[in-house]
Amino acid sequence: MHDNADVPVMIIDDEAHLRITAGQTLELAGYTPRPFESAEAALAELETDFAGVVVSDIRMPGMDGMALLREVRRRDPDLPVILITGHGDISTAVEAMREGAWDFLEKPFAGERLVEMVRRGSEKRRLSLENRALKAELEAQQSAPGPRLVGRTPVIQRLAAMVQRISRVEADVLLFGETGTGKDLVARAIHERSPRGGRPFVAINCGAVPESTIESELFGHEKGAFTGALERRIGKFEHAGGGTVFLDEIESMPLALQVKLLRVLQERTIERLGSNQPVPLDIRVIAATKIDLKAAAEAGEFREDLYYRLNVVTLPIPPLRERREDIPLLFQHFAAVAASRSSMEAPPLDAAGISALLAHDWPGNARELRNLAERYVLLGVTCDYRLDMLMEGVDNNGAELSLPEQVELFEKQLISQALARHHGHVTDVCEHLGLPRKTLYDKLKRHNLKAEHYRHSADP
């Protein structure tokens, strides 16, 4: 069961004894009752993103419960409102549900029923606010120009800062990361944030181009240079003039071609096949690999001189398992993109969905997560949007987290989101999460989170 400590519950009733009785019942269950004798007084104290539930009688002088319900829903349609109706007043209860009430209680009611209703309402409210925080953070990160490095973990923030710094200097870059970590996205981010951003970005997958044609693809050829060369061809390097060439899977480049690439990097000229005329180049080169190039060079599988020429600036791209707290935010980002592209809507993640995301080891990294998000949008309706069912058949070659590890990670992720949403202001975070200040500080220490790191958002 979710920790109820300090979850606020507004109790609105013009009869003092009902306010007192309901308040005592909820307080014993661990909630924080906030009694009001009128709807007007309660609305005056209803803050934005109120973290709890509203319980109100319908029959009251002045503004009645139905009018209160309509005003609360106008301010925040996700805030659960539980209305108390008179005995046998079924028509009013039906109208309340039609107007959007979370539920209704019929007088007289048992305290256990009130507690259970508030428990379900507060859990729904917590999930609504967490998904709202994810969406707000996503929108903030999407305001940055070019491709976004989505995430708030220290490793992705350091990467974002390095991308920002490297983009301003003219240096070739080597990206190192596992399959699916987003090396192409990082390359595009460097390019688009650089002075070359308005010029071509030419991506070449060295492992996908046949060895027999890769030299022509990269450097071009003259008419008649070889059988079938019926006209001059401008190669990828020349086409990228003024911009950036991205060489993905550079470890797949044939050794013979690596010699020519080294010369291009040193001299910034090329020669088309069938020509001895050098063509000057104004390009930046970003290469990417998923293997240890130094070890490959020592094994004779990659040219050592080319490795050292590329190794001037190296950026490691972290796998998802090293930035687990970012996974729900990334999932929502991919789901939003898929929903926009397909004109389909999907509900926000529930607690079980977030837990499933955090428990998986993601050997395919962001690419695997993106594929799951797309299935969630396109096929989720067929399984009631249960992520565990959508993830069946997905390979997981890594170790599963234990239940205590999942709980710890889930808690850390929720606290991190709240810190980001409230810019590190501890008082607001305590209220948002329903935690006493000492409890929050204990959890921050245990999870190695520092509120001051969230005071200013880094521009990825």
Side-chain angles (χ1 to χ4, degrees):
M1 181 179 290
H2 178 61
D3 185 4
N4 299 330
D6 291 343
V7 173
V9 181
M10 283 190 167
I11 303 170
I12 309 162
D13 200 308
D14 59 314
E15 297 185 41
H17 74 280
L18 287 177
R19 294 197 303 272
I20 294 170
T21 302
Q24 289 174 340
T25 299
L26 291 171
E27 194 167 17
L28 287 171
Y31 296 95
T32 300
R34 291 173 57 178
F36 297 92
E37 64 180 354
S38 71
E40 293 87 349
L43 288 171
E45 297 292 323
L46 183 62
E47 61 269 23
T48 303
D49 291 337
F50 176 70
V53 178
V54 174
V55 178
S56 175
D57 195 6
I58 287 184
R59 309 293 179 191
M60 295 184 294
M63 176 182 279
D64 65 11
M66 294 300 295
L68 169 71
L69 170 64
R70 285 188 283 268
E71 176 58 23
V72 168
R73 287 189 56 76
R74 186 190 68 79
R75 296 188 188 186
D76 188 341
D78 295 326
L79 178 55
V81 178
I82 299 168
L83 291 179
I84 301 172
T85 66
H87 176 64
D89 197 354
I90 300 300
S91 61
T92 304
V94 171
E95 183 186 357
M97 299 300 287
R98 189 181 296 122
E99 291 279 355
W102 168 250
D103 214 330
F104 70 94
L105 279 165
E106 186 181 20
K107 295 179 184 177
F109 53 85
E112 293 82 1
R113 179 156 168 71
L114 170 64
V115 169
E116 174 59 20
M117 208 170 279
V118 167
R119 185 194 66 77
R120 290 189 295 106
S122 62
E123 176 66 12
K124 182 255 188 187
R125 181 58 171 170
R126 182 180 66 81
L127 286 170
S128 295
L129 291 178
E130 293 304 336
N131 279 293
R132 187 178 296 178
L134 280 172
K135 185 177 180 182
E137 185 173 350
L138 199 55
E139 289 173 351
Q141 295 206 15
Q142 287 175 339
S143 65
R148 275 111 18 212
L149 305 182
V150 177
R152 290 226 37 123
T153 49
V155 289
I156 204 68
Q157 289 296 296
R158 282 195 297 271
L159 176 62
M162 285 296 294
V163 165
Q164 194 69 25
R165 192 173 302 120
I166 289 170
S167 66
R168 302 191 191 107
V169 298
E170 278 291 313
D172 295 335
V173 181
L174 177 63
L175 305 178
F176 171 68
E178 298 174 8
T179 298
T181 49
K183 297 184 289 293
D184 54 341
L185 181 141
V186 172
R188 287 182 182 275
I190 293 171
H191 168 73
E192 294 199 18
R193 287 162 172 75
S194 75
R196 298 179 179 273
R199 304 296 296 164
F201 177 87
V202 179
I204 304 155
N205 188 324
C206 300
V209 182
E211 187 171 340
S212 59
T213 61
I214 189 170
E215 188 171 354
S216 174
E217 285 287 324
L218 297 185
F219 306 136
H221 61 251
E222 296 290 349
K223 181 179 179 179
F226 51 84
T227 303
L230 303 179
E231 58 184 21
R232 171 188 282 180
R233 175 187 174 88
I234 300 300
K236 303 287 190 183
F237 276 75
E238 196 173 346
H239 175 68
T244 301
V245 173
F246 174 50
L247 298 172
D248 198 7
E249 296 189 20
I250 195 168
E251 70 274 9
S252 304
M253 181 174 283
L255 286 168
L257 194 59
Q258 291 178 27
V259 180
K260 297 189 176 184
L261 175 61
L262 178 62
R263 189 179 307 124
V264 169
L265 294 177
Q266 291 172 335
E267 301 175 5
R268 283 312 197 254
T269 62
I270 58 146
E271 290 180 5
R272 302 187 196 104
L273 286 176
S275 171
N276 295 320
Q277 185 68 33
V279 178
L281 295 176
D282 173 22
I283 59 169
R284 178 186 212 166
V285 174
I286 301 176
T289 179
K290 61 178 179 293
I291 70 168
D292 183 342
L293 281 187
K294 187 173 188 299
E298 292 171 349
E301 298 168 357
F302 194 83
R303 288 192 62 94
E304 193 171 23
D305 48 5
L306 178 57
Y307 163 70
Y308 284 113
R309 180 63 183 78
L310 289 169
N311 195 39
V312 177
V313 178
T314 299
L315 273 186
I317 315 298
L320 275 188
R321 64 180 175 277
E322 293 180 7
R323 46 184 295 226
R324 287 185 185 273
E325 297 96 304
D326 287 335
I327 291 173
L329 185 65
L330 266 174
F331 181 90
Q332 187 140 322
H333 165 70
F334 291 139
V337 171
S340 175
R341 190 167 56 237
S342 62
S343 300
M344 298 177 70
E345 291 295 327
L349 290 173
D350 58 13
I354 293 176
S355 294
L357 291 180
L358 295 175
H360 190 58
D361 207 48
W362 303 106
N365 292 294
R367 184 179 297 135
E368 182 184 356
L369 182 65
R370 183 183 65 224
N371 291 342
L372 176 63
E374 290 176 352
R375 288 200 301 276
Y376 182 77
V377 172
L378 298 175
L379 304 174
V381 68
T382 64
C383 60
D384 199 26
Y385 294 97
R386 284 184 53 185
L387 273 190
D388 58 336
M389 295 181 67
L390 287 169
M391 291 170 74
E392 285 182 4
V394 176
D395 289 336
N396 182 4
N397 299 320
E400 291 284 347
L401 295 177
S402 67
L403 180 59
E405 287 174 329
Q406 291 182 45
V407 171
E408 284 289 293
L409 193 57
F410 185 51
E411 182 180 79
K412 181 178 180 180
Q413 190 263 337
L414 293 179
I415 294 173
S416 178
Q417 287 177 16
L419 285 167
R421 182 165 179 268
H422 295 288
H423 307 291
H425 295 299
V426 171
T427 301
D428 294 338
V429 171
C430 286
E431 183 171 352
H432 174 73
L433 294 176
L435 292 176
R437 184 176 288 260
K438 182 181 184 307
T439 302
L440 177 63
Y441 277 123
D442 289 341
K443 292 180 184 295
L444 291 177
K445 183 176 180 180
R446 187 170 75 247
H447 294 305
N448 195 27
L449 294 171
K450 298 184 184 300
E452 57 266 29
H453 290 169
Y454 294 79
R455 296 279 158 76
H456 303 286
S457 298
D459 182 14

